[in-house]
C-alpha cells in the first residue's frame, strides 16, 4: 500500500469501478442463489457499498485489477501450475525420504523487475511453488529460502523472472 | 459411460490429493526446522488442495456448488502464498530479535545460535557465498 | 473414495495438531494452526458432499475467509511484539 496514486487515475477510475461492480455483482449472484427483487436490491446495495469503500481506500486501479495483462496472466498461471506440480512431486519425495534428503539453504536472489505489481507476482509465485519461500522482498533482491539447493539454482536461471517481466509489457 | 469416467477421474484426483496431503503432513512432522516445515505446509496448500477441490468439482456437476468450489479454489490460490510470506517475514523478525540462526542469512555473523532448532551453520556459509 | 479423503484429511489435521503441540517455536505452532484451518475448509466441503447437501459449501467459503484473516491478525500481533519499536510498521 505504499504506492501513491497519480492524479491521472481519476478518469480511468470510473472504468475500474465499473469492472469491480461487475465482478462483485457476479460473485454476489453466484453465491446467493435467490433472485427475488428484494434480495437483488440488497445485493446491488452491498455491491455499491463495497465499491464506494474501495474507492475511498484508493485501491480501485490497474494494480488491483490488472486487466491490461489478463490473457498473458492466464498463460503465465498455466505455466506456473506446471511448475507447482513438478516441485510438489519433488517436495513429496523429500518428505517421504526424510531429513537426509533435504539441505535447507537461504540465499539472496537478484530481482530486476521494476513495477511493484510484477515484483509482487514474482515473489508470490516463488512462495506458491513448494520448496521455495520468499522471506523478504527488498528493492533489487529477494531473500529466498529453499528446501534444496536446486530450488535456488532454478531461480537463479531467471526463467520465472523473465516470464514475469514479459507480463508487464 | 461418460459419467463413470468422470467419477473415476474424480476418485483419482481425490486419492492423489489425499496422498499429497499426507506427504505434506509427514513433512511438517519430520522436517527439522521451521522454514523446511513451511515448504511441506505449502505443499498441502497447493497441489493437495487443488486436487481435492478439483475432485469435488467433478463430483458436483453443473450448478452453484461448482461456482462456490471455484471461489474457494481461487481464494486459497491467492491467499496461501500471502499467509506463507507473512509467516516467513514474521519469523524473520522474531529471530532477528532473538539473534537466531536463520536470520544469519540476512545479517551473517549477527548473534549466536540460540534455539532448539537445528543450528544449520551451512546456511550461513552458503548465503555468504551466493 | 470421498470418505477415504475425509479420513485422510482428519489424519492430516491430527498430524498438524501434533506439530502444534510439539512445535518448538511460536511460528511452528502458527504454521500448524494455519494448516489445520485450511484442512478444515476442505473437510467441510468434503462433508457437504458426503452428506449430499452441497448448498452448505458456503460455510467452507466463509471459513476460508475467516481463517486467512485470523492468521494474518495473529501474525501481525506477534510481529509487533517481536520487532523493535517502529520496525513492524513498515507497511
Amino acid at each position: 500500500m505504499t504506492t501513491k496514486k497519480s492524479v491521472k487515475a481519476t478518469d480511468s477510475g470510473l472504468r475500474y469501478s465499473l469492472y469491480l461492480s461487475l465482478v462483485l455483482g457476479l460473485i454476489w449472484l453466484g453465491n446467493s442463489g435467490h433472485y427475488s427483487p428484494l434480495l437483488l436490491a440488497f445485493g446491488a446495495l452491498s455491491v455499491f457499498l463495497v465499491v464506494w469503500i474501495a474507492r475511498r481506500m484508493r485501491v480501485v486501479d490497474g494494480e488491483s485489477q490488472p486487466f491490461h495483462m489478463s490473457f498473458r496472466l492466464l498463460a503465465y498461471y498455466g505455466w506456473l501450475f506446471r511448475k507447482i506440480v513438478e516441485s510438489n512431486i519433488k517436495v513429496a519425495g523429500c518428505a517421504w525420504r526424510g531429513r537426509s534428503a533435504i539441505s535447507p539453504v537461504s540465499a539472496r536472489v537478484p530481482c530486476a523487475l521494476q513495477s511493484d505489481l510484477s515484483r509482487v507476482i514474482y515473489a508470490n509465485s516463488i512462495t506458491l511453488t513448494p520448496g521455495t519461500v520468499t522471506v523478504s522482498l527488498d528493492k533489487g533482491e529477494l531473500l529466498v529460502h529453499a528446501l534444496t539447493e536446486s530450488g535456488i539454482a532454478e531461480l537463479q536461471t531467471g526463467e520465472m523472472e523473465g516470464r514475469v517481466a514479459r507480463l508487464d509489457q | 459411460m461418460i459419467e463413470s469416467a468422470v467419477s473415476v477421474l474424480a476418485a483419482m484426483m481425490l486419492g492423489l490429493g489425499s496422498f499429497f496431503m499426507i506427504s505434506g503432513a509427514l513433512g511438517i512432522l519430520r522436517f527439522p526446522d521451521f522454514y523446511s516445515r513451511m515448504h511441506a505446509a505449502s505443499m498441502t496448500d497447493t497441489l493437495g488442495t487443488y486436487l481435492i477441490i478439483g475432485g469435488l468439482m467433478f463430483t458436483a456437476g453443473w450448478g452453484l456448488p461448482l461456482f462456490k468450489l471455484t471461489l474457494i479454489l481461487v481464494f486459497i490460490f491467492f491467499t496461501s502464498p500471502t499467509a506463507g510470506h507473512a509467516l516467513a517475514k514474521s519469523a524473520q523478525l522474531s529471530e532477528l530479535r532473538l539473534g537466531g540462526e536463520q536470520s544469519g542469512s540476512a545479517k551473517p555473523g549477527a548473534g549466536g545460535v540460540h534455539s532448539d532448532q537445528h543450528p544449520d551453520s551451512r546456511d550461513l556459509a552458503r548465503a555468504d557465498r551466493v | 473414495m470421498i470418505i477415504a479423503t475425509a479420513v485422510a484429511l482428519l489424519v492430516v489435521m491430527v498430524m498438524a495438531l501434533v506439530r502444534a503441540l510439539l512445535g518448538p517455536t511460536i511460528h511452528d505452532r502458527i504454521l500448524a494452526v494455519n494448516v489445520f484451518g485450511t484442512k478444515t475448509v476442505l473437510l467441510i466441503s468434503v462433508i457437504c458432499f458426503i452428506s449430499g447437501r452441497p448448498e452448505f459449501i458456503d460455510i467452507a467459503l466463509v471459513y476460508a475467509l475467516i481463517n486467512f484473516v485470523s492468521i494474518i491478525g495473529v501474525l501481525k500481533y506477534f510481529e509487533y511484539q517481536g520487532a523493535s519499536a517502529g520496525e513492524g510498521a513498515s507497511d
Side-chain angles (χ1 to χ4, degrees):
Chain A
M1 301 296 156
T2 52
T3 325
K4 295 282 175 291
K5 299 294 170 291
S6 57
V7 187
K8 75 174 176 59
T10 44
D11 59 329
S12 63
L14 198 64
R15 193 165 61 106
Y16 285 119
S17 301
L18 279 178
Y19 282 143
L20 183 63
S21 322
L22 193 70
V23 171
L24 286 175
L26 282 179
I27 291 176
W28 191 91
L29 284 178
N31 272 321
S32 152
H34 296 279
Y35 304 112
S36 67
L38 178 70
L39 286 176
L40 283 178
F42 281 150
L45 193 68
S46 48
V47 167
F48 175 76
L49 198 67
V50 169
V51 172
W52 179 68
I53 292 175
R55 281 187 71 109
R56 271 201 69 184
M57 287 170 71
R58 298 179 195 285
V59 292
V60 187
D61 54 19
E63 207 167 54
S64 61
Q65 295 157 289
F67 282 108
H68 59 282
M69 53 167 85
S70 42
F71 289 108
R72 275 169 294 175
L73 209 55
L74 275 182
Y76 174 71
Y77 277 127
W79 174 82
L80 185 65
F81 184 73
R82 263 211 316 278
K83 294 302 271 190
I84 289 174
V85 173
E86 282 172 19
S87 53
N88 259 295
I89 292 169
K90 270 186 217 158
V91 178
C94 289
W96 285 100
R97 273 177 290 157
R99 67 177 62 183
S100 62
I102 64 171
S103 54
V105 55
S106 52
R108 293 193 169 265
V109 176
C111 163
L113 297 168
Q114 289 304 316
S115 73
D116 283 351
L117 181 60
S118 49
R119 278 194 310 192
V120 167
I121 291 176
Y122 184 42
N124 221 20
S125 315
I126 292 175
T127 312
L128 201 55
T129 29
T132 47
V133 169
T134 316
V135 178
S136 76
L137 170 59
D138 308 315
K139 276 241 185 305
E141 59 178 13
L142 310 170
L143 178 58
V144 177
H145 184 275
L147 195 58
T148 57
E149 281 173 69
S150 64
I152 294 280
E154 203 172 321
L155 283 180
Q156 277 167 343
T157 63
E159 191 193 1
M160 186 185 271
E161 191 182 357
R163 282 180 188 266
V164 176
R166 263 173 276 150
L167 280 177
D168 213 5
Q169 281 159 8
Chain B
M1 181 61 203
I2 287 181
E3 265 181 23
S4 68
V6 165
S7 63
V8 165
L9 188 63
M12 267 172 59
M13 285 176 83
L14 287 173
L16 264 178
S18 308
F19 168 73
F20 278 106
M21 285 286 170
I22 300 273
S23 318
L26 198 70
I28 293 172
L29 279 183
R30 278 173 101 179
F31 282 167
D33 65 326
F34 166 72
Y35 287 100
S36 314
R37 284 177 202 137
M38 250 177 79
H39 299 305
S42 89
M43 181 165 64
T44 68
D45 272 351
T46 54
L47 199 56
T49 305
Y50 304 161
L51 282 172
I52 287 185
I53 300 246
L56 289 181
M57 281 161 99
F58 279 115
T59 318
W62 295 106
L64 279 186
L66 185 70
F67 177 75
K68 284 168 189 169
L69 283 172
T70 317
L71 271 188
I72 295 179
L73 190 62
V74 168
F75 189 77
I76 290 181
F77 181 81
F78 282 111
T79 56
S80 88
T82 312
H85 175 69
L87 194 60
K89 194 183 161 205
S90 160
Q92 187 76 3
L93 281 177
S94 77
E95 283 168 9
L96 272 178
R97 180 177 66 102
L98 295 168
E101 74 287 348
Q102 281 285 354
S103 60
S105 46
K107 282 180 189 163
V113 171
H114 83 97
S115 77
D116 38 6
Q117 294 192 350
H118 79 307
D120 201 346
S121 53
R122 284 182 311 153
D123 277 9
L124 309 187
R126 286 210 191 92
D128 282 344
R129 194 195 66 205
V130 171
Chain C
M1 202 54 186
I2 202 160
I3 293 177
T5 309
V7 173
L9 281 172
L10 282 172
V11 171
V12 169
M13 284 162 84
V14 168
M15 286 159 99
L17 268 190
V18 170
R19 176 46 73 195
L21 290 172
L22 287 179
T25 66
I26 188 79
H27 293 95
D28 285 294
R29 293 177 214 270
I30 298 176
L31 177 72
V33 170
N34 187 18
V35 170
F36 190 84
T38 48
K39 298 313 150 289
T40 311
V41 174
L42 290 181
L43 187 67
I44 293 173
S45 13
V46 168
I47 284 176
C48 288
F49 282 92
I50 290 177
S51 64
R53 277 186 278 186
E55 312 86 79
F56 290 164
I57 277 187
D58 292 336
I59 301 169
L61 191 54
V62 171
Y63 198 90
L65 298 167
I66 293 174
N67 182 48
F68 175 64
V69 173
S70 65
I71 288 295
I72 294 293
V74 168
L75 279 174
K76 268 289 174 210
Y77 176 72
F78 284 108
E79 191 173 305
Y80 279 125
Q81 200 186 44
S84 55
E87 194 179 342
S90 59
D91 45 6

